[in-house]
DNA sequence: AGCCATGCACCG
DNA sequence: CGGTGCATGGCT
């Protein structure tokens, strides 16, 4: 099973007043890009819907988008991935800036599992005996 | 590269 | 009419 963690930013949880309701995916990481559905860079703003279940069994459909107008519009500047439609879930969990968002999936499975764990716990511990955490980009970790 | 912000459309 | 998401621009 592959599993990725992201520390939520203020903008991610909506506490900045932003109303774009979603989180940012680092681009340029092959493991993460392979883990998520494939989005064709040759398409303009391609998106894919992924099915996520929470630990308590609720299901959410999330939109995984690649904003790439940099390559498709004359003066486009966007080149980033995002996952939206998360506001409902994050609010229901009372997620705040600094908390950890987890997303995992069994190899070959179709459904993803997601979870948010409060900031205080997971961070400090696990120096060298817990699971291996590899920093792959700002805010993101991959767990083996 | 990543996070912050927003005008407008849509929908209840 | 208020909330949410889309697509995009801006700032660090």
């Amino acid at each position: 099973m592959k599993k990725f963690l992201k520390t939520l930013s203020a903008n991610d949880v909506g506490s900045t007043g932003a109303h774009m309701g979603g989180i940012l995916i680092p681009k340029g990481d092959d493991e993460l890009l392979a883990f998520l559905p494939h989005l064709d860079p040759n398409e303009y703003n391609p998106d894919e819907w992924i099915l996520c279940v929470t630990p308590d069994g609720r299901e959410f459909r999330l939109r995984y988008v690649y904003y790439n107008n940099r390559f498709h519009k004359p003066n486009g500047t966007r080149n980033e991935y995002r996952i939206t439609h998360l506001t409902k879930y994050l609010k229901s969990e009372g997620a705040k800036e600094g908390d950890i968002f987890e997303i995992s999936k069994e190899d070959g499975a179709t459904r993803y599992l997601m979870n948010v764990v409060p900031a205080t716990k997971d961070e400090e511990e696990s120096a060298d005996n817990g699971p291996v955490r590899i920093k792959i980009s700002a805010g993101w970790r991959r767990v083996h």
Side-chain angles (χ1 to χ4, degrees):
Chain A
M1 163 197 277
K2 284 197 173 61
K3 181 175 186 175
F4 296 86
L5 311 181
K6 184 198 193 302
T7 60
L8 265 12
S9 72
N11 189 277
D12 291 335
V13 296
S15 66
T16 58
H19 45 261
M20 40 81 57
I23 71 179
L24 180 137
I25 304 295
K27 61 175 158 54
D29 183 88
D30 295 338
E31 297 269 356
L32 183 53
L33 265 41
F35 169 77
L36 292 164
H38 175 254
L39 293 179
D40 189 354
N42 297 315
E43 274 182 53
Y44 169 60
N45 288 358
D47 67 329
E48 201 73 40
W49 290 89
I50 63 180
L51 181 59
C52 283
V53 292
T54 63
D56 53 327
R58 285 176 294 161
E59 291 191 351
F60 290 84
R61 287 205 166 269
L62 306 181
R63 183 172 181 249
Y64 170 50
V65 213
Y66 180 31
Y67 285 114
N68 62 354
N69 71 7
R70 159 80 177 76
F71 308 109
H72 297 273
K73 292 284 195 183
N75 289 316
T77 166
R78 257 346 81 176
N79 180 23
E80 63 193 36
Y81 296 85
R82 290 218 186 118
I83 288 182
T84 59
H85 281 253
L86 266 171
T87 36
K88 278 255 167 47
Y89 176 60
L90 292 179
K91 284 228 157 63
S92 75
E93 295 302 307
K96 44 191 185 313
E97 176 179 5
D99 287 353
I100 311 297
F101 176 79
E102 305 184 349
I103 181 163
S104 58
K105 182 174 74 64
E106 293 296 338
D107 297 334
T110 57
R111 290 213 273 289
Y112 294 82
L113 175 67
M114 66 175 173
N115 187 26
V116 292
V117 349
T120 40
K121 307 189 174 183
D122 211 61
E123 278 307 68
E124 341 290 316
E125 46 179 290
S126 80
D128 41 12
N129 40 353
V132 180
R133 284 172 166 73
I134 300 176
K135 180 174 184 176
I136 60 178
S137 173
W140 280 85
R141 314 284 188 287
R142 172 161 44 95
V143 177
H144 283 178

